Amino acid sequence: MARNSSSQRRGIEKHLKGIAKDYERAAKRNPIRVPIQTEATGTGGTMPGRDTAEGDPVLARLLIWLDAQAQQNRSHHVDVTRFVEEQQLPDEDPSVLAYELEERDLVRNSRGLDDAPTVCLTDAAAPRSTG
């Protein structure tokens, strides 16, 4: 009887180890991601907020891309269609992306002659130094 219970215990432990390995593999393939959304308070701190670009990875990448474009030419309005083409995002509408950033006061939106959404970063979108 003692042999039977110890072999059962080993079998259960082996099964549990297998389940743990399966969970680890699944976690590596599909990591848990939690969007962080904050907005500045009047006292200089941050608090959980809504409508921030951190919640949308495409908008966050667009802001980084726009900042790189602004480093090359500060006063130049940039066509958001170029971002969509360069990033190969056929499902994204450049006009909607520009509008969403404009709603958050991160860009000034102006239409070109060909009705393309061209934007320029605002001071609110400018990177802040820490220190």
Side-chain angles (χ1 to χ4, degrees):
M1 182 87 179
R3 261 199 257 166
N4 194 15
S5 66
S6 65
S7 66
Q8 283 179 339
R9 185 175 58 237
R10 276 186 255 136
I12 292 171
E13 289 174 357
K14 184 178 178 181
H15 183 69
L16 290 175
K17 285 181 184 179
I19 291 173
K21 285 183 182 180
D22 288 342
Y23 275 113
E24 287 176 7
R25 279 189 224 115
K28 286 180 183 176
R29 281 192 308 262
N30 305 305
I32 296 172
R33 296 183 183 178
V34 179
I36 298 173
Q37 298 179 345
T38 60
E39 52 189 39
T41 64
T43 58
T46 59
M47 59 184 245
R50 61 187 190 285
D51 298 332
T52 60
E54 291 92 352
D56 187 339
V58 174
L59 290 180
R61 285 191 343 222
L62 175 55
L63 279 174
I64 293 168
W65 184 83
L66 288 170
D67 183 54
Q69 300 300 312
Q71 296 298 324
Q72 295 172 6
N73 189 349
R74 291 236 177 250
S75 63
H76 185 67
H77 280 73
V78 181
D79 185 354
V80 178
T81 307
R82 284 184 35 219
F83 169 77
V84 172
E85 291 169 355
E86 286 178 19
Q87 299 292 315
Q88 299 175 353
L89 302 169
D91 296 336
E92 295 294 338
D93 184 351
S95 297
V96 171
L97 294 174
Y99 175 77
E100 288 179 6
L101 290 179
E102 185 179 32
E103 283 294 303
R104 293 170 172 92
D105 294 323
L106 298 172
V107 298
R108 283 189 310 275
N109 192 353
S110 65
R111 298 247 175 229
L113 294 176
D114 57 355
D115 210 30
T118 57
V119 298
C120 184
L121 290 174
T122 63
D123 290 339
R128 295 176 217 357
S129 62
T130 57

